[in-house]
Amino acid sequence: MIAHAAIARIAEREAERFRRANPHVFAHHASATGWFQSVPFHWMKDWPSPVPIVAASAKDAMLTSIDGQTYDDFCLGDTASLFGHSPPALTAALARQVGQGLSYMLPTDRGAALSERLAAMFGLPQWQVTTTASEANRAVIRWCRGISGRRKILIFDGAYHGAVDDAFVDLKGGAPAMRASLVGQVHDLRGTTAVVEFNDEAALPAALRGGDIACVLAEPVMTNVGMVRDAPGFLQTLRALCDETGTLLVFDETHTISSGYGGHSLTHGPKPDLMVIGKSIGGGVPCAVYGFSAAVAGRMAALNRTRQPGHSGIGTTLSANALAITAMDTMLGEVVTPAAYDHMLRGAARLVAGLEQEIAGAGLDWHVTQVGARVEFLTCPTPPRNGGEAKAAMHPELEAAIHLFLANRGILLAPFHNMMLVSPVTGDDQIDRLVGAFADCMRALKE
């Protein structure tokens, strides 16, 4: 319902507006010749602006660039800062830890308290720490294969679980296919990774009843291909089939921690056998954890007693470093609270209502999806039921134009799709500014 000519016009106009407003940003990228493509990590090039904004500082839910531009931050580090930038309790705790050492390759006194907080919050009794969620997912896959004696895992089409080779298999024409975008991939994963569509209850029995699947690795709600909600009863069916077939169920809750205190599985059910959580529980300090049931812990211990000595292939030297332990213990003890979620969920509801009102007023057949404090508008008439439909519904040129329009008016969305996060420190005024700028963008696109 938006003309291609209008999208091109807005994109060109907004790119020029960005150039005029950000001279120091352009100078920075021109001078950063030691970085490949001028950025220290290639994903930073994925923002829709002519060059990425260069951050000077961030506090609460506000970010400031080196040009002095201020932004209401609804990206929040793509979940890393879901609970706000630099919470005071975290800042103070990290400053103390810096003076006491950062990494010992030894447990710290705070670690015992953290393990208890993790168990109480997420409902699983045993935990391990890694440096990233990618590493946690990789470890979980190894453990599941090791304790089950099965080689294959099952994922859902369009899923993303970090930089984990095993998860990069898509459905193409109903058949598994290696993800075409991978750089330097030499191993064919289709013999050890099965893939079906999310919400496809008919495909699950056929995939699982062969008895060769070690684990299902899934987000309880898909968030990395746009947002795809679980159909009523789907997760319960998945849980029941995993129980029937002796398959371990793993929920990657790195993003769906937005659903509520304790994550999606504790808020809505069902409970997984293993769970991965990254990014946000360290407040931006690189860290992640994976938790598991007592039964799984017993099987892991039994495997350790029988395996050959030597490196397990799990873990890195910096895993569970003192800074990460302090960050997570502080976040879960003082920042990530039920009261924080109350504020987040109220704000997200306000954002959803505002966006839906403006979409209806513009006469667009779009819709808004919400997963707790995570909100996304999708430029299609009906919510996608699975990853295939979500990929087909994407409109990269339109989405990029909207993002750039909003950035030029002081609003940051996550660059990969139309996702917005509401933190415990996001104000109603920030939400209302986002809705107002979105309305202005819709009017401009329909001129």
Side-chain angles (χ1 to χ4, degrees):
M1 299 179 68
I2 304 293
H4 290 289
I7 297 170
R9 171 175 52 81
I10 293 298
E12 181 178 1
R13 186 187 77 186
E14 295 301 321
E16 180 55 33
R17 176 170 173 159
F18 183 90
R19 292 186 185 93
R20 291 195 306 268
N22 295 281
H24 292 99
V25 164
F26 279 90
H28 168 92
H29 287 285
S31 66
T33 55
W35 297 126
F36 175 60
Q37 295 182 321
S38 83
V39 291
F41 187 64
H42 66 94
W43 276 0
M44 294 176 179
K45 294 287 287 185
D46 287 351
W47 293 84
S49 47
V51 294
I53 294 164
V54 180
S57 63
K59 181 63 178 171
D60 295 336
M62 184 74 72
L63 184 143
T64 303
S65 78
I66 60 172
D67 278 291
Q69 306 282 359
T70 58
Y71 300 89
D72 294 316
D73 189 0
F74 290 89
C75 173
L76 295 171
D78 192 27
T79 308
S81 298
L82 173 63
F83 299 97
H85 294 287
S86 298
L90 178 64
T91 301
L94 293 181
R96 288 192 298 271
Q97 187 62 56
V98 166
Q100 298 167 0
L102 302 179
S103 190
Y104 320 129
M105 204 177 173
L106 289 167
T108 65
D109 188 47
R110 294 192 77 150
L114 173 59
S115 69
E116 293 174 2
R117 295 191 201 282
L118 288 165
M121 179 173 177
F122 297 105
L124 290 171
Q126 296 277 279
W127 294 85
Q128 289 280 272
V129 178
T130 64
T131 308
T132 66
S134 294
E135 184 190 342
N137 280 321
R138 199 175 291 118
V140 163
I141 291 171
R142 280 189 174 272
W143 279 119
C144 289
R145 285 173 167 157
I147 66 178
S148 69
R150 301 174 179 180
R151 300 177 67 241
K152 296 180 75 172
I153 68 169
L154 176 68
I155 61 171
F156 293 106
D157 183 42
Y160 176 77
H161 297 288
V164 180
D165 281 6
D166 304 81
F168 289 121
V169 179
D170 296 326
L171 278 178
K172 297 288 185 183
M178 295 293 294
R179 189 164 295 180
S181 61
L182 291 185
V183 174
Q185 178 61 265
V186 295
H187 299 293
D188 190 337
L189 304 172
R190 291 173 294 181
T192 52
T193 300
V195 57
V196 298
E197 288 285 16
F198 194 66
N199 285 325
D200 188 345
E201 291 193 17
L204 282 177
L208 294 176
R209 285 176 176 158
D212 58 348
I213 303 294
C215 69
V216 177
L217 175 60
E219 292 183 292
V221 175
M222 296 186 78
T223 67
N224 277 294
V225 65
M227 289 205 298
V228 181
R229 294 299 309 260
D230 53 311
F234 175 71
L235 295 179
Q236 287 70 27
T237 297
L238 174 60
R239 175 72 273 180
L241 282 167
C242 284
D243 290 339
E244 174 194 325
T245 59
T247 306
L248 293 161
L249 177 58
V250 183
F251 279 161
D252 180 352
E253 293 236 34
T254 297
H255 281 180
T256 56
I257 191 175
S258 66
S259 292
Y261 188 79
H264 195 88
S265 55
L266 197 68
T267 303
H268 301 290
K271 197 171 182 178
D273 299 299
L274 304 96
M275 173 191 294
V276 168
I277 307 156
K279 298 184 183 179
S280 61
I281 59 171
V285 173
C287 55
V289 293
Y290 59 98
F292 36 95
S293 68
V296 169
R299 295 172 70 182
M300 290 164 63
L303 177 62
N304 271 339
R305 288 192 294 269
T306 59
R307 72 179 178 87
Q308 291 293 315
H311 199 290
S312 64
I314 296 170
T316 57
T317 305
L318 286 173
S319 295
N321 66 75
L323 192 70
I325 294 291
T326 294
M328 289 188 285
D329 186 50
T330 303
M331 288 294 291
L332 296 189
E334 302 184 53
V335 180
V336 184
T337 64
Y341 274 95
D342 288 343
H343 180 98
M344 295 159 73
L345 298 179
R346 284 196 302 270
R350 183 186 186 96
L351 177 56
V352 169
L355 292 174
E356 287 180 338
Q357 180 176 328
E358 297 303 335
I359 288 170
L364 295 169
D365 59 351
W366 300 358
H367 70 276
V368 181
T369 300
Q370 179 185 4
V371 179
R374 183 178 299 269
V375 177
E376 184 160 0
F377 63 87
L378 293 94
T379 59
C380 54
T382 57
R385 295 171 298 174
N386 54 52
E389 290 185 6
K391 286 182 282 187
M394 289 180 176
H395 197 314
E397 295 82 6
L398 174 58
E399 293 167 5
I402 295 171
H403 285 220
L404 185 52
F405 185 103
L406 295 176
N408 281 336
R409 286 147 187 86
I411 307 289
L412 282 186
L413 274 57
F416 306 114
H417 37 89
N418 305 316
M419 187 265 292
M420 298 153 280
L421 293 168
V422 177
S423 79
V425 287
T426 301
D428 287 350
D429 57 335
Q430 294 180 290
I431 293 168
D432 294 344
R433 282 196 293 268
L434 190 163
V435 172
F438 178 84
D440 291 342
C441 185
M442 296 305 98
R443 284 190 286 270
L445 284 166
K446 298 196 77 176
E447 286 176 354

